[in-house]
Each structure stands twice: as structure tokens, then as C-alpha cells.
Amino acid sequence: MDGEPVPILSELEPETTAGFQGNIERLCRLIRADGGVPVLMTMPFSDEAGGFEEAWVELLGQGAREHNEIMRDVASAEGALLVDAASTFSSDPKEHAALFKDYVHLRPAGNRVKALGIADVLQRAKVWK
């Protein structure tokens, strides 16, 4: 199979989202059982940043949106804190595209935006004493 192109799926298999959701729910419960506070973060991505073929960007965007909705739903259902980085980065896609190396990987300035988002959520929740 080396050297053969990987076929692009037309849609993601539903099993991927069910497994993902179950794993996130279990992680939240394990963290709580250990006395911790679960903190979930959505995945920012940029259609504008380049780095992937258009067909891949469309498929990856669909998957990222589905997984981000799962993160939001699980955070709500499990009482976890949520850092909605996807919403932050999608508020101005053209401006934020410069923070990405490619579709999902951030430059240092983009990672700083995510870190500040985490700090903000933790401070507002008064997680530490």
C-alpha cells in the first residue's frame, strides 16, 4: 500500500463520534472520582489556513464540528468546565487564520490565545485555592 493515495471518505463513520463521546464522559467521571475538576476544550480549526487538500478540509471540518458539539454537550451533562477555543477562533476566521500553521496546528501566538482561554475559565471558576 505504500505510495497509494488514501481514499477520502465522504463522511465520518458514526462509530467514531459514539466512541469519542463515551471516552470523554468516562474521563470526566474518572477525574471527578479522583477529586479533580474536568476541563474540556473544543478544537479550533481554520478553513483559511491551508495545508490540506480541499476535500480533506471539508471532511476534517465536519468531524471537528461534530466533536466540538460533543465536547460542549459532555461538558454540560458532566458539569465539566469548558474552554470553547473553537468559538474563539471562529469569531473572525480571516484574522485568526494567521495564528494557524495549517488546518489544526497553531503558531505560538495561537497557542497563547488557547492558554489565555484556559486561564480565564480556571480563574472564573476559582478552581485553585
Side-chain angles (χ1 to χ4, degrees), residues 10-57:
S10 61
E11 60 183 48
L12 297 177
E13 299 295 326
E15 294 81 14
T16 64
T17 56
F20 178 75
Q21 181 170 343
N23 287 338
I24 299 300
E25 290 168 345
R26 283 186 287 286
L27 285 170
C28 287
R29 292 171 191 157
L30 287 169
I31 291 166
R32 281 219 192 295
D34 279 348
V37 176
V39 180
L40 302 179
M41 178 184 278
T42 57
M43 171 82 155
F45 61 94
S46 173
D47 294 341
E48 304 290 326
F52 288 93
E53 293 180 30
E54 187 175 330
W56 277 109
V57 169

Side-chain angles (χ1 to χ4, degrees), residues 2 9-10 17 31 52 72 84 86 89 93 105 115 126:
D2 275 346
L9 301 172
S10 61
T17 56
I31 291 166
F52 288 93
R72 292 178 186 109
D84 199 346
F89 282 84
H105 298 99
K126 299 179 184 341

Side-chain angles (χ1 to χ4, degrees), residues 48-115:
E48 304 290 326
F52 288 93
E53 293 180 30
E54 187 175 330
W56 277 109
V57 169
E58 185 177 324
L59 179 65
L60 293 172
Q62 171 195 339
R65 283 186 288 280
E66 287 176 3
H67 283 187
N68 285 340
E69 273 311 303
I70 288 170
M71 291 297 254
R72 292 178 186 109
D73 292 346
V74 171
S76 177
E78 295 293 328
L81 299 177
L82 178 68
V83 180
D84 199 346
S87 290
T88 298
F89 282 84
S90 66
S91 65
D92 189 345
K94 296 256 188 233
E95 178 183 326
H96 288 115
L99 300 175
F100 287 83
K101 288 181 183 179
D102 61 29
Y103 175 76
V104 293
H105 298 99
L106 293 165
R107 299 180 189 288
N111 285 323
R112 179 173 170 71
V113 170
K114 281 176 39 178

